[in-house]
Amino acid sequence: GAVVSQHPSWVICKSGTSVKIECRSLDFQATTMFWYRQFPKQSLMLMATSNEGSKATYEQGVEKDKFLINHASLTLSTLTVTSAHPEDSSFYICSARVGNYNEQFFGPGTRLTVL
Amino acid sequence: QKEVEQDPGPLSVPEGAIVSLNCTYSNSAFQYFMWYRQYSRKGPELLMYTYSSGNKEDGRFTAQVDKSSKYISLFIRDSQPSDSATYLCAMRGGGTSYGKLTFGQGTILTVHP
């Protein structure tokens, strides 16, 4: 149980375009989802926390107008990178938590390359 | 100073060796401690979760927490080539920070046959 999927697993896009990444909890309802980004050989950096039905809470330094997060249901959260630029190229990983359960379950990640 | 410090390695050991991975932290509000394993180009996988000082064992893995010293460790016994991965420590507090994890940099481990 506790499987989190992400789609797509990798994407290549041109600079200036927008990219949407989906995060789904497959066998549980996720009241909270988290979005991280990870640069090569670096750790995960939390970008934002989203609760179903409410606005996401962004970490300091993360542009909320550039990284749009929607958590429309208990099993789906989306991250849209708007007007992507090469410096946005990274590994984006989501995680999901159910209720007050302490564990976060991570998705497999999405590798974004902006040309 | 980072809230969580972890030696990035890389660490290379022979098969069968005992591996010791460590993290130190500065935020005394951290109450819950986790170790994740991450294979290349994959999401992190939870290995161990602890919330009290002392040892917790699960198979070949032992997690150790010393809150007085703000120091946590993960020991891997009888290491296998399949243990080759990046190991991330993570921790969080309670209250308003509930759920938000702070990660260490990750230690790259290679176990060679």
Side-chain angles (χ1 to χ4, degrees), chain A residues 34 36 38 41-44 46 59 91 93 97 99-104 106-109 111, chain B residues 32 34 36 38 41-46 49 88-89 92 98-101 103-106 108:
Chain A
F34 305 85
Y36 297 83
Q38 185 178 34
K41 297 188 178 181
Q42 293 190 25
S43 191
L44 283 76
L46 180 65
E59 295 299 302
F91 194 49
I93 307 174
R97 182 169 64 91
N100 292 325
Y101 197 49
N102 288 317
E103 294 183 33
Q104 287 185 30
F106 285 82
R111 183 159 303 280
Chain B
Y32 302 91
M34 286 135 275
Y36 287 87
Q38 185 178 25
R41 299 176 182 267
K42 299 292 184 183
E45 170 194 9
L46 181 66
Y49 166 80
L88 298 152
C89 65
R92 67 170 181 83
Y98 194 77
K100 175 182 174 180
L101 294 178
F103 283 86
Q105 187 176 353
I108 300 171

CSV table of all heavy atoms in Angstrom, one decimal, chain A residues 34 36 38 41-44 46 59 91 93 97 99-104 106-109 111, chain B residues 32 34 36 38 41-46 49 88-89 92 98-101 103-106 108:
chain,number,residue,atom,x,y,z
A,34,PHE,N,3.2,17.3,-0.6
A,34,PHE,CA,4.4,18.1,-0.6
A,34,PHE,C,5.1,18.1,-2.0
A,34,PHE,O,5.2,17.0,-2.6
A,34,PHE,CB,5.4,17.7,0.5
A,34,PHE,CG,4.8,17.6,1.8
A,34,PHE,CD1,4.1,16.5,2.3
A,34,PHE,CD2,4.9,18.7,2.7
A,34,PHE,CE1,3.6,16.4,3.5
A,34,PHE,CE2,4.3,18.6,4.0
A,34,PHE,CZ,3.7,17.5,4.4
A,36,TYR,N,8.8,18.8,-3.8
A,36,TYR,CA,10.2,19.1,-3.6
A,36,TYR,C,10.9,19.2,-5.0
A,36,TYR,O,10.4,18.7,-6.0
A,36,TYR,CB,10.9,17.9,-2.9
A,36,TYR,CG,10.4,17.6,-1.5
A,36,TYR,CD1,9.2,16.9,-1.3
A,36,TYR,CD2,11.1,18.1,-0.4
A,36,TYR,CE1,8.8,16.6,0.0
A,36,TYR,CE2,10.6,17.8,0.9
A,36,TYR,CZ,9.5,17.0,1.1
A,36,TYR,OH,9.0,16.8,2.4
A,38,GLN,N,15.0,18.7,-6.5
A,38,GLN,CA,16.3,18.2,-6.2
A,38,GLN,C,17.3,18.4,-7.3
A,38,GLN,O,17.0,17.9,-8.5
A,38,GLN,CB,16.2,16.7,-5.8
A,38,GLN,CG,17.5,16.0,-5.4
A,38,GLN,CD,17.3,14.6,-5.0
A,38,GLN,OE1,16.5,13.9,-5.6
A,38,GLN,NE2,18.0,14.1,-4.0
A,41,LYS,N,23.1,15.6,-7.2
A,41,LYS,CA,23.9,15.4,-6.0
A,41,LYS,C,23.6,16.3,-4.9
A,41,LYS,O,24.5,16.6,-4.0
A,41,LYS,CB,25.4,15.5,-6.4
A,41,LYS,CG,25.8,14.5,-7.5
A,41,LYS,CD,27.3,14.5,-7.7
A,41,LYS,CE,27.7,13.4,-8.7
A,41,LYS,NZ,29.1,13.3,-8.9
A,42,GLN,N,22.4,16.8,-4.8
A,42,GLN,CA,22.0,17.7,-3.7
A,42,GLN,C,20.7,17.0,-3.1
A,42,GLN,O,20.1,16.1,-3.6
A,42,GLN,CB,21.7,19.1,-4.2
A,42,GLN,CG,22.9,19.8,-4.7
A,42,GLN,CD,22.6,21.3,-4.9
A,42,GLN,OE1,21.7,21.9,-4.3
A,42,GLN,NE2,23.4,21.9,-5.8
A,43,SER,N,20.4,17.5,-1.9
A,43,SER,CA,19.3,17.0,-1.2
A,43,SER,C,17.9,17.6,-1.7
A,43,SER,O,17.9,18.4,-2.6
A,43,SER,CB,19.4,17.2,0.3
A,43,SER,OG,18.5,16.5,1.0
A,44,LEU,N,16.9,17.1,-1.1
A,44,LEU,CA,15.6,17.5,-1.5
A,44,LEU,C,15.3,18.9,-0.8
A,44,LEU,O,15.5,19.0,0.4
A,44,LEU,CB,14.5,16.5,-1.1
A,44,LEU,CG,14.3,15.3,-1.9
A,44,LEU,CD1,15.4,14.3,-1.6
A,44,LEU,CD2,12.9,14.6,-1.6
A,46,LEU,N,12.2,21.4,0.0
A,46,LEU,CA,10.7,21.6,0.0
A,46,LEU,C,10.4,22.9,-0.8
A,46,LEU,O,10.9,23.9,-0.4
A,46,LEU,CB,10.2,21.6,1.4
A,46,LEU,CG,8.7,21.8,1.5
A,46,LEU,CD1,8.0,20.6,0.9
A,46,LEU,CD2,8.3,21.9,3.0
A,59,GLU,N,7.4,27.7,0.4
A,59,GLU,CA,8.6,28.0,1.1
A,59,GLU,C,9.2,29.4,0.7
A,59,GLU,O,9.0,29.8,-0.5
A,59,GLU,CB,9.6,26.9,1.0
A,59,GLU,CG,9.1,25.6,1.6
A,59,GLU,CD,8.8,25.7,3.1
A,59,GLU,OE1,9.7,26.0,3.9
A,59,GLU,OE2,7.7,25.4,3.5
A,91,PHE,N,14.9,17.8,-10.8
A,91,PHE,CA,14.1,16.6,-10.5
A,91,PHE,C,13.1,17.0,-9.5
A,91,PHE,O,13.4,17.5,-8.4
A,91,PHE,CB,15.1,15.5,-9.9
A,91,PHE,CG,14.5,14.1,-9.8
A,91,PHE,CD1,13.9,13.6,-10.9
A,91,PHE,CD2,14.6,13.4,-8.7
A,91,PHE,CE1,13.4,12.3,-10.9
A,91,PHE,CE2,14.2,12.1,-8.6
A,91,PHE,CZ,13.5,11.5,-9.7
A,93,ILE,N,9.9,16.1,-7.1
A,93,ILE,CA,9.4,14.9,-6.4
A,93,ILE,C,8.2,15.4,-5.5
A,93,ILE,O,8.3,16.4,-4.8
A,93,ILE,CB,10.5,14.2,-5.5
A,93,ILE,CG1,11.7,13.9,-6.3
A,93,ILE,CG2,9.9,13.0,-4.9
A,93,ILE,CD1,12.9,13.4,-5.5
A,97,ARG,N,0.9,12.5,2.4
A,97,ARG,CA,0.7,12.1,3.8
A,97,ARG,C,-0.8,12.0,4.0
A,97,ARG,O,-1.6,12.8,3.6
A,97,ARG,CB,1.3,13.1,4.8
A,97,ARG,CG,1.2,12.8,6.2
A,97,ARG,CD,2.1,13.7,7.1
A,97,ARG,NE,1.6,15.1,7.0
A,97,ARG,CZ,0.7,15.6,7.9
A,97,ARG,NH1,0.2,14.9,8.8
A,97,ARG,NH2,0.4,16.9,7.8
A,99,GLY,N,-3.8,12.1,6.7
A,99,GLY,CA,-4.2,12.5,8.1
A,99,GLY,C,-3.1,12.9,8.9
A,99,GLY,O,-2.2,13.6,8.5
A,100,ASN,N,-3.1,12.4,10.1
A,100,ASN,CA,-2.0,12.7,11.1
A,100,ASN,C,-0.9,11.6,11.1
A,100,ASN,O,-0.1,11.6,11.9
A,100,ASN,CB,-2.6,12.9,12.5
A,100,ASN,CG,-3.4,14.1,12.6
A,100,ASN,OD1,-3.1,15.1,11.9
A,100,ASN,ND2,-4.5,14.0,13.3
A,101,TYR,N,-1.0,10.7,10.1
A,101,TYR,CA,0.0,9.7,10.0
A,101,TYR,C,1.4,10.3,9.8
A,101,TYR,O,1.5,11.2,9.0
A,101,TYR,CB,-0.4,8.8,8.9
A,101,TYR,CG,0.3,7.4,8.9
A,101,TYR,CD1,0.3,6.7,10.0
A,101,TYR,CD2,0.9,6.9,7.7
A,101,TYR,CE1,0.9,5.4,10.0
A,101,TYR,CE2,1.5,5.7,7.7
A,101,TYR,CZ,1.5,4.9,8.9
A,101,TYR,OH,2.2,3.7,8.9
A,102,ASN,N,2.4,9.9,10.4
A,102,ASN,CA,3.6,10.6,10.4
A,102,ASN,C,4.4,10.4,9.1
A,102,ASN,O,5.2,11.3,8.8
A,102,ASN,CB,4.5,10.1,11.6
A,102,ASN,CG,4.0,10.6,12.9
A,102,ASN,OD1,3.6,11.8,13.0
A,102,ASN,ND2,3.9,9.8,13.9
A,103,GLU,N,4.3,9.3,8.4
A,103,GLU,CA,5.1,9.1,7.3
A,103,GLU,C,4.7,9.8,6.1
A,103,GLU,O,3.5,10.1,5.9
A,103,GLU,CB,5.1,7.6,6.9
A,103,GLU,CG,5.7,6.7,8.0
A,103,GLU,CD,5.7,5.2,7.5
A,103,GLU,OE1,5.8,5.0,6.3
A,103,GLU,OE2,5.6,4.4,8.4
A,104,GLN,N,5.6,10.2,5.3
A,104,GLN,CA,5.4,10.8,3.9
A,104,GLN,C,5.8,9.7,2.9
A,104,GLN,O,6.9,9.1,3.1
A,104,GLN,CB,6.2,12.0,3.7
A,104,GLN,CG,5.7,13.2,4.4
A,104,GLN,CD,6.5,14.5,4.0
A,104,GLN,OE1,7.0,14.6,2.9
A,104,GLN,NE2,6.6,15.4,5.0
A,106,PHE,N,6.8,9.0,-1.0
A,106,PHE,CA,7.3,9.7,-2.1
A,106,PHE,C,6.9,9.1,-3.4
A,106,PHE,O,6.9,7.9,-3.6
A,106,PHE,CB,8.8,9.9,-2.0
A,106,PHE,CG,9.2,10.9,-0.9
A,106,PHE,CD1,9.3,10.5,0.4
A,106,PHE,CD2,9.5,12.2,-1.3
A,106,PHE,CE1,9.7,11.5,1.4
A,106,PHE,CE2,9.9,13.1,-0.3
A,106,PHE,CZ,10.0,12.8,1.0
A,107,GLY,N,6.7,10.0,-4.4
A,107,GLY,CA,6.6,9.5,-5.8
A,107,GLY,C,7.9,9.2,-6.4
A,107,GLY,O,9.0,9.5,-5.8
A,108,PRO,N,8.0,8.7,-7.6
A,108,PRO,CA,9.2,8.4,-8.2
A,108,PRO,C,10.0,9.5,-8.8
A,108,PRO,O,11.1,9.4,-9.3
A,108,PRO,CB,8.8,7.4,-9.3
A,108,PRO,CG,7.4,7.8,-9.6
A,108,PRO,CD,6.8,8.3,-8.4
A,109,GLY,N,9.3,10.7,-8.9
A,109,GLY,CA,10.0,11.9,-9.4
A,109,GLY,C,9.7,12.1,-10.9
A,109,GLY,O,9.4,11.2,-11.6
A,111,ARG,N,11.7,14.2,-14.0
A,111,ARG,CA,12.9,14.9,-14.4
A,111,ARG,C,12.5,15.9,-15.5
A,111,ARG,O,12.0,15.5,-16.6
A,111,ARG,CB,14.0,14.0,-15.0
A,111,ARG,CG,15.3,14.7,-15.4
A,111,ARG,CD,16.4,13.8,-15.4
A,111,ARG,NE,16.7,13.1,-14.1
A,111,ARG,CZ,17.3,13.7,-13.1
A,111,ARG,NH1,17.7,14.9,-13.1
A,111,ARG,NH2,17.4,13.0,-11.9
B,32,TYR,N,11.1,14.0,15.3
B,32,TYR,CA,10.9,12.8,14.6
B,32,TYR,C,12.0,12.7,13.6
B,32,TYR,O,12.3,13.6,12.9
B,32,TYR,CB,9.5,12.8,13.9
B,32,TYR,CG,8.4,13.0,14.8
B,32,TYR,CD1,7.9,14.2,15.2
B,32,TYR,CD2,7.8,11.9,15.4
B,32,TYR,CE1,6.8,14.4,16.1
B,32,TYR,CE2,6.7,12.0,16.3
B,32,TYR,CZ,6.3,13.3,16.6
B,32,TYR,OH,5.2,13.4,17.5
B,34,MET,N,13.9,10.3,10.5
B,34,MET,CA,13.8,9.3,9.5
B,34,MET,C,15.0,9.1,8.6
B,34,MET,O,15.8,10.0,8.5
B,34,MET,CB,12.6,9.7,8.5
B,34,MET,CG,11.2,9.6,9.1
B,34,MET,SD,10.2,11.1,8.8
B,34,MET,CE,10.7,12.1,10.1
B,36,TYR,N,15.9,7.7,4.7
B,36,TYR,CA,15.4,7.4,3.4
B,36,TYR,C,16.5,6.8,2.6
B,36,TYR,O,17.7,7.3,2.7
B,36,TYR,CB,14.8,8.6,2.7
B,36,TYR,CG,13.4,9.0,3.3
B,36,TYR,CD1,13.3,9.9,4.3
B,36,TYR,CD2,12.2,8.5,2.7
B,36,TYR,CE1,12.1,10.3,4.8
B,36,TYR,CE2,11.0,8.9,3.2
B,36,TYR,CZ,11.0,9.8,4.3
B,36,TYR,OH,9.7,10.2,4.8
B,38,GLN,N,17.5,6.4,-1.5
B,38,GLN,CA,17.2,6.9,-2.8
B,38,GLN,C,18.1,6.3,-3.9
B,38,GLN,O,19.3,6.6,-3.9
B,38,GLN,CB,17.2,8.4,-2.9
B,38,GLN,CG,16.7,9.0,-4.2
B,38,GLN,CD,16.6,10.5,-4.2
B,38,GLN,OE1,17.4,11.2,-3.5
B,38,GLN,NE2,15.8,11.1,-5.0
B,41,ARG,N,17.8,8.4,-9.8
B,41,ARG,CA,16.6,8.8,-10.6
B,41,ARG,C,15.3,8.3,-10.1
B,41,ARG,O,14.3,8.1,-10.9
B,41,ARG,CB,16.8,8.5,-12.1
B,41,ARG,CG,18.0,9.1,-12.7
B,41,ARG,CD,18.2,8.6,-14.2
B,41,ARG,NE,19.4,9.3,-14.8
B,41,ARG,CZ,19.4,10.3,-15.5
B,41,ARG,NH1,18.2,10.9,-15.7
B,41,ARG,NH2,20.5,10.8,-16.0
B,42,LYS,N,15.2,8.0,-8.8
B,42,LYS,CA,14.0,7.5,-8.2
B,42,LYS,C,13.7,8.4,-7.0
B,42,LYS,O,14.5,9.1,-6.5
B,42,LYS,CB,14.2,6.1,-7.7
B,42,LYS,CG,14.5,5.1,-8.8
B,42,LYS,CD,13.4,4.9,-9.7
B,42,LYS,CE,13.7,3.8,-10.8
B,42,LYS,NZ,12.5,3.7,-11.8
B,43,GLY,N,12.4,8.3,-6.5
B,43,GLY,CA,12.0,9.0,-5.3
B,43,GLY,C,12.6,8.3,-4.0
B,43,GLY,O,12.9,7.1,-4.1
B,44,PRO,N,12.7,9.0,-2.9
B,44,PRO,CA,13.2,8.4,-1.7
B,44,PRO,C,12.2,7.3,-1.2
B,44,PRO,O,11.0,7.5,-1.3
B,44,PRO,CB,13.2,9.6,-0.7
B,44,PRO,CG,13.2,10.8,-1.6
B,44,PRO,CD,12.4,10.4,-2.8
B,45,GLU,N,12.8,6.3,-0.5
B,45,GLU,CA,12.0,5.2,0.1
B,45,GLU,C,12.3,5.2,1.6
B,45,GLU,O,13.5,5.2,2.0
B,45,GLU,CB,12.4,3.9,-0.6
B,45,GLU,CG,11.9,2.7,0.1
B,45,GLU,CD,12.7,1.4,-0.4
B,45,GLU,OE1,13.7,1.5,-1.1
B,45,GLU,OE2,12.3,0.3,0.0
B,46,LEU,N,11.2,5.2,2.4
B,46,LEU,CA,11.4,5.3,3.8
B,46,LEU,C,12.0,3.9,4.3
B,46,LEU,O,11.5,2.9,4.1
B,46,LEU,CB,10.1,5.5,4.5
B,46,LEU,CG,10.2,5.6,6.0
B,46,LEU,CD1,11.0,6.8,6.5
B,46,LEU,CD2,8.7,5.7,6.6
B,49,TYR,N,12.0,5.0,10.9
B,49,TYR,CA,11.3,6.1,11.5
B,49,TYR,C,11.4,6.0,13.0
B,49,TYR,O,11.1,4.9,13.5
B,49,TYR,CB,9.9,6.1,11.0
B,49,TYR,CG,9.0,7.1,11.8
B,49,TYR,CD1,9.0,8.4,11.5
B,49,TYR,CD2,8.2,6.6,12.8
B,49,TYR,CE1,8.2,9.3,12.2
B,49,TYR,CE2,7.4,7.4,13.5
B,49,TYR,CZ,7.4,8.8,13.2
B,49,TYR,OH,6.6,9.6,13.9
B,88,LEU,N,19.5,9.4,2.8
B,88,LEU,CA,19.1,10.7,3.3
B,88,LEU,C,18.5,10.6,4.7
B,88,LEU,O,17.6,9.9,5.0
B,88,LEU,CB,18.1,11.4,2.4
B,88,LEU,CG,18.4,11.6,0.9
B,88,LEU,CD1,17.2,11.5,0.1
B,88,LEU,CD2,19.1,12.9,0.8
B,89,CYS,N,19.1,11.5,5.6
B,89,CYS,CA,18.4,11.6,6.9
B,89,CYS,C,17.4,12.7,6.8
B,89,CYS,O,17.5,13.7,6.0
B,89,CYS,CB,19.4,11.9,8.0
B,89,CYS,SG,20.2,13.4,7.9
B,92,ARG,N,11.8,16.2,11.5
B,92,ARG,CA,10.8,17.3,11.6
B,92,ARG,C,10.4,17.5,13.1
B,92,ARG,O,10.6,16.6,13.9
B,92,ARG,CB,9.5,16.9,10.8
B,92,ARG,CG,8.7,15.8,11.3
B,92,ARG,CD,7.4,15.7,10.5
B,92,ARG,NE,6.6,14.5,11.0
B,92,ARG,CZ,5.8,14.6,12.0
B,92,ARG,NH1,5.7,15.7,12.7
B,92,ARG,NH2,5.1,13.5,12.4
B,98,TYR,N,4.3,20.5,11.6
B,98,TYR,CA,3.9,19.2,11.5
B,98,TYR,C,3.9,18.8,10.0
B,98,TYR,O,3.3,19.4,9.2
B,98,TYR,CB,2.5,19.0,12.0
B,98,TYR,CG,2.1,17.5,12.2
B,98,TYR,CD1,2.6,16.8,13.3
B,98,TYR,CD2,1.3,16.9,11.3
B,98,TYR,CE1,2.3,15.5,13.5
B,98,TYR,CE2,0.9,15.6,11.5
B,98,TYR,CZ,1.4,14.9,12.5
B,98,TYR,OH,1.1,13.6,12.7
B,99,GLY,N,4.7,17.8,9.7
B,99,GLY,CA,4.7,17.3,8.3
B,99,GLY,C,5.9,17.8,7.5
B,99,GLY,O,6.3,17.1,6.6
B,100,LYS,N,6.4,19.0,7.8
B,100,LYS,CA,7.5,19.5,7.0
B,100,LYS,C,8.8,18.8,7.4
B,100,LYS,O,9.2,18.9,8.5
B,100,LYS,CB,7.6,21.0,7.2
B,100,LYS,CG,8.7,21.7,6.5
B,100,LYS,CD,8.8,23.1,6.8
B,100,LYS,CE,10.1,23.8,6.2
B,100,LYS,NZ,10.2,25.2,6.5
B,101,LEU,N,9.4,18.2,6.4
B,101,LEU,CA,10.7,17.5,6.6
B,101,LEU,C,11.8,18.4,6.2
B,101,LEU,O,11.8,19.1,5.2
B,101,LEU,CB,10.7,16.2,5.8
B,101,LEU,CG,9.7,15.1,6.2
B,101,LEU,CD1,9.9,13.9,5.2
B,101,LEU,CD2,9.9,14.6,7.6
B,103,PHE,N,15.8,17.8,5.2
B,103,PHE,CA,16.6,16.7,4.8
B,103,PHE,C,18.1,17.1,5.0
B,103,PHE,O,18.5,18.2,4.9
B,103,PHE,CB,16.4,16.4,3.3
B,103,PHE,CG,15.2,15.6,3.1
B,103,PHE,CD1,13.9,16.2,2.9
B,103,PHE,CD2,15.2,14.2,3.0
B,103,PHE,CE1,12.8,15.5,2.7
B,103,PHE,CE2,14.1,13.4,2.8
B,103,PHE,CZ,12.8,14.1,2.6
B,104,GLY,N,18.9,16.0,5.2
B,104,GLY,CA,20.3,16.2,5.1
B,104,GLY,C,20.7,16.1,3.6
B,104,GLY,O,19.9,15.9,2.8
B,105,GLN,N,22.0,16.4,3.4
B,105,GLN,CA,22.5,16.4,2.0
B,105,GLN,C,22.5,15.1,1.3
B,105,GLN,O,22.4,15.0,0.1
B,105,GLN,CB,23.9,17.0,2.0
B,105,GLN,CG,24.4,17.3,0.6
B,105,GLN,CD,25.8,18.0,0.6
B,105,GLN,OE1,26.3,18.3,1.7
B,105,GLN,NE2,26.4,18.1,-0.5
B,106,GLY,N,22.5,14.0,2.1
B,106,GLY,CA,22.5,12.7,1.5
B,106,GLY,C,24.0,12.1,1.5
B,106,GLY,O,24.9,12.9,1.2
B,108,ILE,N,26.3,9.2,-0.4
B,108,ILE,CA,26.3,8.3,-1.5
B,108,ILE,C,27.1,7.1,-1.0
B,108,ILE,O,28.3,7.2,-0.7
B,108,ILE,CB,27.0,8.9,-2.7
B,108,ILE,CG1,26.2,10.1,-3.2
B,108,ILE,CG2,27.1,7.9,-3.9
B,108,ILE,CD1,26.9,10.9,-4.3
